[in-house]
Amino acid sequence: MTHSHYIRVRYGECDQMGFVHHSNYALYFEEARTEILRKKGLSYKAMEDEGIIMPVHSMNIQFKRAAKYDDLIEIKITMVGVPNLKCYFQYEVFNQNHDLLCTSQMTLFFARKSDLRPIRLPEKYLKIFIQ
């Protein structure tokens, strides 16, 4: 499952050098991840309302080039494999000239919101993830 999500870089996301500050990529990735789930017909908010959350286990980013103010960036997100206890995502970020800006790998896990204990993804959600 792959999805492209587009974001226009805002002025406040840039550092003194005029580049997107590296901390903003985590927010960009979260937005793209929420949208890929929405595209599958799954509301992350609905999952949370039912007591299931997806904390980040690990995130690795390899920067190639800088994104700059007013760039229209494409975040190409791919869900890798079938989620069970964990969910794996890969990201590629491109600018409007199709230059590769960075790549990232992220692992999340499923947990009960009440006590943060890891859980297997319930069957009703698994069906949505793999359709």
Side-chain angles (χ1 to χ4, degrees):
M1 172 171 54
T2 299
H3 173 71
S4 285
H5 182 67
Y6 296 86
I7 296 174
R8 177 80 58 187
V9 174
R10 294 167 286 261
Y11 186 81
E13 296 165 343
C14 297
D15 60 20
Q16 215 171 12
M17 297 177 285
F19 304 149
V20 169
H21 191 270
H22 62 274
S23 63
N24 288 300
Y25 286 90
L27 297 171
Y28 295 164
F29 296 155
E30 180 180 12
E31 186 174 324
R33 190 171 59 253
T34 299
E35 291 305 316
I36 195 172
L37 295 177
R38 191 183 318 275
K39 181 180 175 187
K40 294 293 284 182
L42 179 63
S43 164
Y44 184 66
K45 181 178 180 335
M47 282 179 60
E48 280 193 338
D49 289 347
E50 290 189 27
I52 300 168
I53 57 174
M54 295 174 64
V56 173
H57 177 268
S58 64
M59 180 173 64
N60 185 1
I61 303 175
Q62 302 81 40
F63 294 99
K64 314 283 185 196
R65 303 180 102 169
K68 300 174 184 156
Y69 170 63
D70 206 39
D71 280 354
L72 180 62
I73 58 172
E74 174 189 7
I75 302 163
K76 189 179 287 186
I77 177 174
T78 302
M79 190 170 78
V80 180
V82 177
N84 191 357
L85 290 170
K86 294 181 180 176
C87 194
Y88 303 94
F89 293 97
Q90 292 180 342
Y91 302 85
E92 294 177 303
V93 180
F94 300 91
N95 65 13
Q96 63 275 358
N97 299 321
H98 307 288
D99 298 322
L100 180 63
L101 304 179
C102 71
T103 59
S104 179
Q105 302 78 40
M106 189 177 296
T107 303
L108 293 91
F109 65 97
F110 300 100
R112 283 191 304 253
K113 189 175 184 178
S114 60
D115 61 7
L116 300 179
R117 301 286 298 171
I119 60 169
R120 291 191 186 284
L121 183 62
E123 187 68 29
K124 75 178 198 176
Y125 290 116
L126 182 59
K127 288 178 183 178
I128 296 169
F129 268 87
I130 61 176
Q131 66 177 324

